[in-house]
Amino acid sequence: MYRSQQLALKYLTAAIALFGIMTIAGLMSAYYYINPNFLFGILNFNIAKILHIDTMIIWLLMGFMGAIYWFLPEEFGRDLVGIKLAEILFYVFCAAVAVVAVVFIVVQHGGSNEMALWFINQGRKYVEAPRWAAVGVVVVMAVFAYNVLGTAYATRKISGITAVLMIDLVPLLVLYLDAFPALSNMSADLFWWWWLVHLWVEATWEVLIGCIMAWTLMQLLGTSRRIVELWLYIEVALVLGTGILGLGHHYFWIGTPGYWLTIGGLFSALEPLPLLGMVIHAIYDAGTHHMKTTNRPAFYWMLAEAFGNFLGGGVWGFMFTLPQVNLYAHGTQWTVSHGHFAFWGAYACAVLSVMYLVIQKLRGLAQVDGRLWKWSFAALNIGVLGMVGALLVAGFAQAFVERAIGGSTHEAYLMGQANPWFVESMITRFIFGIMFAAGYVALVWDFLTIGKRRLVLAAAEAAE
Amino acid sequence: MHLDDPAFWRAGAISTVAVMSVALIMLTVNSLAAIRPGGSHVPHYTVINEHIDYKFDADRGEDVPVIGGSEPLFGKTVDAAQAKALIGKGKMVIQSRACIDCHTFFGNGAYYAPDLTKAWLDPGWKTWEAITGAKTKEEAMVRFLMFPEKYRISERRMPNLGLTRQEAEATVAYLKWMSAVDTNGFPPNFGHMQAKR
């Protein structure tokens, strides 16, 4: 095994641990809605929410990095340049994440000065990590880019997939620099913040995961490089062709000119297209292979990714990015429903697919299957669907009661939050959250044990 | 043209990304001019010296901010530099206390607490003057922001985030300025129901 792949294992392990912390913080965030006195004045909603969304970003990022560190040496036929530095930075990265989490929980916030932003909390959604930690993320990403670009330069072996990956790393790094400013003007602040959030999540991350899924397809189904590269280019063209100006759907109400309503509405409506293409292709792949594969969990998680990305990102996004709908749906639990479904479908499922693929190679398994993965697959996906459905109903109630009827005031907000449809949806969401957490436990147990029991049996039989 | 040739789609991907990126840059230049303080959609920070309203505009078919008439905040007119410093301070309060991880601003944030886009214009502050014993809306807001845990309006409360008087005043100034931003009619129907009552 390459050193880079050993590093990949560390990143994937850290990712799965952070996935657990994200789940706990998510359950807490959901519980505040049911019992607002929970930890009041000790650990308020905003801190649990920050832990939930920031660990979500970090575990997915670590999952991507782990996947790429796993596949790249096989692609290049050698270990990565600068791997020693990357190994050291892994520990620095983990330590930084731990320190930031402790500061969030213990210190929580500082005064209204630059020091607070540098060392405690930046207070911008998704990029709350203090600036020193954001600098750390930049350094980690820069070394990651150096590993990829340096190895490509050293080997002079650049495939279509690695070329796309290398180009994608540039905006991935540059856009993150937007994690630092504290502009007084909220309109300008949100304008640039969306460059970071949207162009990361709905553009560069989509391309990144496209590269990862291309390698996964080649290993899992033996799809030819020519075909995966062809589809990767199509995906890049469609995802970025619609996603770059799809940014406009975040510019409807932040103080930007009215033309964004037309531009954002149009391009957002087109955004599901590449995701629909992925679904069609997944069904085609599944059909041509008669659903037969040596790694069923990886295959099913890959299918879940295609469907989840299309439904959660595409359909759910399309449903409320039409300006006429968004005027009432924006800033309600409708958004939360979309966010959960999209992140889960587009990214989490893909990372889990890669993890099963890695386990197969790691343990030298000819066949990966069993019962436990099915339980975790079902609990996690039904958990997500239940949460997403409940949040959607809550969002409908808010759009109707708070926005359309109530007129969006403080009183209308309270009316919306007290509406039975909203209250019951929050309870339902929490119950499905518990199911999701159970699925996570089963997933981790499966990761730890899958294939091992069979290996032990085989060894015992051989000994006899 | 060969649709099954990766090179064709590679060229397509490169040209699509290039065209879209150029379009985004052009729109960004235009938008940044509109959203600078004093631009077509975002008011100068000194708007905190004026009366702000949010009314239905029949031509545009949506609610728009209406600015006019002197209404100094805390009874004190500020110049451009003072207003800029006050708004800057307000934003630092909002970031350092991670307000956006409970509230929403222009609908962006965490949904656990009310949207603050037009909070300054909320008809509910009249009641809050009585609750807090304040003579003005801005004073009621300051008293609430400094000791929110004292005022229980629903089961969900706002925690005390240790705001000083100066920080609370800066936050109120920020909310007043923000309410004058032209948000293309978001939020819709704001306060119309209360007005009818």
Side-chain angles (χ1 to χ4, degrees), chain A residues 95-97 99-100 103 117-120 129-137 180:
Chain A
V97 170
V99 171
V100 170
V103 169
L117 305 192
W118 271 103
F119 297 104
I120 302 171
R131 282 181 186 148
W132 72 265
V135 171
V137 172
F180 297 93

Side-chain angles (χ1 to χ4, degrees), chain A residues 16 135 141 169 210 243 251 306 315 322 362 370 425:
Chain A
I16 208 73
V135 171
M141 298 297 292
L169 286 176
Y251 291 165
V315 176
L322 284 174
L362 192 67
S425 293

Side-chain angles (χ1 to χ4, degrees), chain A residues 29 32-37 40-41 44-46 49-50 53 108-114 116-117 121-126 128 181-195 199 226 229-230 233-234 236-237 240-241 244-245 247 250-261 263 267 326-328 330-333 335-336 398 403-415 417 422, chain B residues 3-7 9-10 12-14 16-17 20-21 23-32 34-37 40-42 45 62 84 87-89 91-102 104-115 117 122-124 128 144 149 152-162 167 174 177-178 181-194 197:
Chain A
S29 306
Y32 287 94
Y33 278 92
I34 300 168
N35 177 11
N37 293 320
F40 181 76
N44 296 312
F45 175 85
N46 62 345
K49 166 95 183 176
I50 290 170
I53 60 176
Q108 300 187 0
H109 61 76
S112 52
N113 51 56
E114 288 282 335
L117 305 192
N121 193 329
Q122 284 203 74
R124 292 169 85 215
K125 193 180 173 189
Y126 294 118
E128 287 92 349
L183 301 176
S184 296
N185 178 351
M186 186 65 86
S187 295
D189 184 4
L190 288 174
F191 187 90
W192 290 116
W193 179 77
W194 277 118
W195 272 57
L199 292 180
R226 182 184 163 85
E229 287 192 346
L230 182 133
Y233 294 140
I234 294 174
V236 170
L240 298 184
I244 290 176
L245 288 185
L247 174 65
H250 301 295
Y251 291 165
F252 292 167
W253 326 115
I254 66 164
T256 29
Y259 54 70
W260 283 109
L261 297 170
I263 295 169
F267 283 92
N326 195 258
L327 180 63
Y328 298 94
H330 177 57
T332 67
Q333 298 292 332
T335 317
V336 188
Q398 271 187 287
R403 296 255 193 270
I405 299 174
S408 309
T409 57
H410 188 190
E411 188 186 328
Y413 175 82
L414 294 176
M415 273 166 51
Q417 301 290 306
F422 185 92
Chain B
L3 289 178
D4 59 348
D5 181 5
W9 289 102
R10 185 173 60 210
I14 293 168
T16 309
V17 173
M20 291 301 165
S21 300
L24 178 62
I25 290 166
M26 288 167 67
L27 290 165
T28 295
V29 171
N30 184 279
S31 290
L32 288 178
I35 62 173
R36 73 177 196 284
S40 60
H41 280 61
V42 174
Y45 295 137
E62 62 198 22
K84 191 179 173 193
I87 297 298
K89 185 77 178 169
K91 182 65 176 350
M92 289 297 267
V93 175
I94 287 164
Q95 281 195 228
S96 64
R97 290 346 190 261
C99 300
I100 204 165
D101 287 297
C102 278
T104 46
F105 294 80
F106 301 137
N108 299 282
Y111 331 108
Y112 188 69
D115 182 64
T117 308
D122 201 291
W128 278 92
F144 172 73
E149 78 283 11
R152 191 170 188 143
I153 28 160
S154 74
E155 216 188 333
R156 223 179 285 168
R157 286 170 292 166
M158 179 167 152
N160 189 324
L161 297 167
E167 287 179 327
Y174 200 89
W177 165 77
M178 204 168 66
V181 173
D182 185 341
T183 49
N184 295 325
F186 178 86
N189 306 324
F190 188 82
H192 292 182
M193 290 310 294
Q194 276 94 332
R197 277 185 230 149

Side-chain angles (χ1 to χ4, degrees), chain A residues 83-101:
Chain A
I83 192 68
K84 178 82 189 155
L85 193 57
E87 285 167 348
I88 295 167
L89 275 179
F90 167 75
Y91 292 106
V92 177
F93 194 6
C94 289
V97 170
V99 171
V100 170

